[in-house]
């Protein structure tokens, strides 16, 4: 029997999950959907074959027998929606980024999930693109040497509108500021290669006088093991994404790591001697040809497949682990505070979170 999934929020990004389910085919489907906009919910149901659609997500959670729930909603809604889902009996949740607006919110989600035995996955689909696996492989070769630092950027030109027509990305009440829409990606990938808990952050931010949202964030994160991350995200820069991992003997760069529409290329830089370098390129094929629009990008399919395996009991964990998302929420929270308060911020993570994070790193996390 197919896994029965429900989706909350039927806006643009919901179609990424719907298309992923169609591509997977037999084994899972979105049997129910909900959106406050009835037309959006009806359209999703018609397009992806849902049996039922709703305008009240709590009603859907109460009435439907679902194996898993996907939240394709605004960041500011996640804390309340996740709690409602857990209280309604949901045990497997895939939540679009950013899962939480603050570290405190993330801890509340974590503690509630742990109390009820709930698996929650934050939706960083990019981690499922084969180019990320290739970057992992290259970085961790002996020839690379120890990781020194990570630099990651995600820019997208998004000028302030002249009138009152705002997207969710420009509305403070939805969690639409740069940190929760884009900075969360660099924070996530930097933590992947830092491989340690963050201890302090510094940042510079710009705030829209008109909208009250953060429009630029440039930050530095220092980790327990001495590794450093440099993070960049802006609404006033041309679209661009990149991650660079600098090691003792090699540098690795990957362009557009977070939303790769097709194939990827990891560039490896080898220093032959002072001022003399040699570049090696590692081409990575995507299972699909170049896709035109974000919802059709390949990475959403393996993300949903992995989530489905966890739901079906065929896999133990789905990446990222919830405790990793909680730690990253503290990093993002700290960067925002550091920028707004113009000071270095010490990252203070609760002891039980640090304990569980370390257990997860050691492979003993249940």
């Amino acid at each position: 029997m197919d896994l029965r999934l429900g989706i909350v929020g039927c806006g643009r990004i919901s179609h990424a999950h719907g298309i992923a389910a169609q591509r997977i085919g037999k084994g899972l489907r979105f049997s129910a959907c909900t959106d406050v906009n009835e037309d959006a919910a009806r359209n999703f149901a018609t397009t992806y074959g849902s049996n039922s659609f709703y305008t009240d997500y709590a009603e859907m959670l109460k009435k439907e027998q679902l194996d898993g729930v996907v939240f394709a909603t605004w960041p500011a809604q996640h804390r309340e929606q996740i709690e409602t889902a857990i209280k309604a009996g949901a045990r497997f949740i895939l939540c679009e980024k950013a899962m939480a607006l603050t570290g405190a919110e993330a801890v509340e989600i974590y503690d509630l999930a742990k109390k009820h035995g709930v698996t929650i996955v934050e939706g960083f689909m990019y981690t499922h693109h084969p180019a990320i696996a290739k970057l992992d492989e290259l970085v961790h070769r002996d020839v690379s040497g120890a990781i020194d630092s990570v630099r990651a950027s995600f820019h997208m030109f998004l000028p302030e509108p002249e009138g009152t027509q705002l997207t969710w990305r420009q509305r403070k009440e939805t969690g639409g500021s740069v940190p929760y829409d884009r900075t969360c990606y660099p924070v996530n990938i930097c933590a992947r290669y830092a491989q340690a808990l963050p201890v302090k952050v510094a940042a510079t931010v710009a705030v829209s006088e008109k909208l009250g949202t953060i429009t630029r964030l440039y930050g530095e994160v220092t980790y327990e093991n001495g590794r450093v991350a440099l993070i960049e995200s802006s609404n006033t820069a041309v679209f661009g994404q990149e991650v660079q991992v600098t090691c003792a003997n090699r540098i690795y760069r990957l362009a557009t790591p977070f939303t790769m529409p097709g194939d990827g290329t990891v560039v490896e830089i080898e220093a032959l001697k002072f001022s003399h370098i040699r570049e090696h390129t590692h081409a990575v094929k995507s299972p699909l040809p170049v896709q035109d629009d974000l919802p059709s990008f390949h990475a959403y399919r393996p993300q949903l497949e992995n989530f489905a395996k966890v739901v079906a009991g065929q896999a133990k964990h789905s990446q990222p682990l919830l405790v990793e998302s909680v730690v990253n929420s503290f990093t993002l929270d700290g960067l925002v505070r550091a920028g707004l308060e113009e000071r270095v911020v010490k990252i203070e993570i609760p002891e039980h979170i640090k304990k569980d994070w370390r257990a997860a790193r050691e492979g003993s996390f249940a």
Side-chain angles (χ1 to χ4, degrees):
M1 186 176 72
D2 288 351
L3 290 177
R4 298 160 300 181
L5 303 180
I7 191 163
V8 181
C10 296
R12 181 169 181 261
I13 205 62
S14 71
H15 295 282
H17 303 286
I19 291 169
Q22 286 183 330
R23 287 173 172 167
I24 294 168
K26 187 177 181 181
L28 67 84
R29 68 188 186 90
F30 284 101
S31 60
C33 61
T34 177
D35 194 285
V36 292
N37 182 325
E38 185 174 349
D39 289 339
R42 181 184 293 106
N43 178 58
F44 186 95
T46 301
T47 303
Y48 304 109
S50 302
N51 294 353
S52 307
F53 66 89
Y54 299 82
T55 56
D56 182 345
Y57 79 97
E59 182 183 4
M60 181 190 79
L61 294 169
K62 180 180 180 180
K63 290 185 176 180
E64 298 288 333
Q65 297 295 313
L66 301 172
D67 298 303
V69 180
V70 176
F71 284 105
T73 49
W74 300 325
Q77 297 175 298
H78 292 159
R79 166 64 183 84
E80 178 181 343
Q81 290 175 339
I82 288 171
E83 180 177 6
T84 300
I86 291 174
K87 288 181 177 179
R91 291 299 174 261
F92 296 94
I93 295 170
L94 172 59
C95 179
E96 276 292 339
K97 57 76 193 168
M99 182 187 72
L101 297 183
T102 65
E105 267 193 10
V107 171
E108 291 176 0
I109 291 170
Y110 182 82
D111 290 345
L112 191 62
K114 192 168 184 180
K115 177 181 178 181
H116 294 278
V118 178
T119 296
I120 301 177
V121 182
E122 189 173 17
F124 285 105
M125 79 297 178
Y126 83 91
T127 62
H128 298 274
H129 192 286
I132 298 299
K134 185 63 178 180
L135 181 59
D136 288 347
E137 174 196 328
L138 294 168
V139 166
H140 295 301
R141 295 179 304 169
D142 290 341
V143 70
S144 299
I147 296 171
D148 174 78
S149 58
V150 189
R151 178 179 59 81
S153 61
F154 191 163
H155 303 299
M156 187 169 73
F157 189 67
L158 188 65
E160 293 186 3
E162 295 294 331
T164 58
Q165 286 294 105
L166 304 177
T167 70
W168 77 267
R169 290 183 168 88
Q170 296 164 315
R171 294 165 54 193
K172 188 174 182 178
E173 68 272 19
T174 63
S177 286
V178 158
Y180 317 110
D181 180 35
R182 290 192 290 290
T183 316
C184 52
Y185 281 98
V187 165
N188 180 276
I189 202 166
C190 286
R192 184 184 190 93
Y193 297 110
Q195 301 175 315
L197 291 169
V199 292
K200 64 179 180 178
V201 297
T204 295
V205 301
V207 179
S208 166
E209 293 184 7
K210 178 180 179 180
L211 304 176
T213 55
I214 294 175
T215 57
R216 300 170 76 229
L217 191 155
Y218 292 81
E220 177 183 310
V221 185
T222 302
Y223 299 88
E224 280 185 334
N225 58 5
R227 292 175 183 172
V228 175
L230 301 177
I231 288 168
E232 308 170 8
S233 52
S234 176
N235 275 355
T236 57
V238 67
F239 174 85
Q241 303 171 5
E242 186 178 59
V243 60
Q244 174 178 299
V245 183
T246 301
C247 306
N249 303 322
R250 294 287 192 277
I251 295 173
Y252 299 97
R253 291 176 181 155
L254 176 61
T256 324
F258 308 122
T259 56
M260 275 183 278
D263 300 343
T265 301
V266 180
V267 178
E268 174 185 351
I269 301 173
E270 176 187 5
L272 303 176
K273 61 180 181 178
F274 183 77
S275 292
H276 293 260
I277 65 169
R278 178 165 55 203
E279 290 192 359
H280 312 266
T281 57
H282 304 269
V284 183
K285 292 289 291 182
S286 170
L288 293 176
V290 174
Q291 300 294 296
D292 181 61
D293 193 33
L294 178 65
S296 65
F297 287 5
H298 162 71
Y300 286 101
R301 173 177 176 165
Q303 174 182 250
L304 192 61
E305 283 179 318
N306 183 247
F307 178 66
K309 287 178 180 178
V310 174
V311 174
Q314 299 169 358
K316 189 173 183 180
H317 295 309
S318 185
Q319 66 176 32
L321 295 177
L322 179 57
V323 71
E324 295 172 330
S325 290
V326 174
V327 169
N328 291 341
S329 293
F330 274 94
T331 302
L332 189 61
D333 190 5
L335 286 165
V336 170
R337 288 190 290 119
L340 293 176
E341 298 170 15
E342 299 183 336
R343 66 182 180 91
V344 174
V345 170
K346 181 181 179 181
I347 304 298
E348 297 179 344
I349 300 170
E351 287 301 319
H352 73 291
I353 300 296
K354 292 194 287 187
K355 179 182 177 181
D356 286 354
W357 184 92
R358 291 190 175 105
R361 296 292 306 171
E362 295 166 2
S364 59
F365 187 71

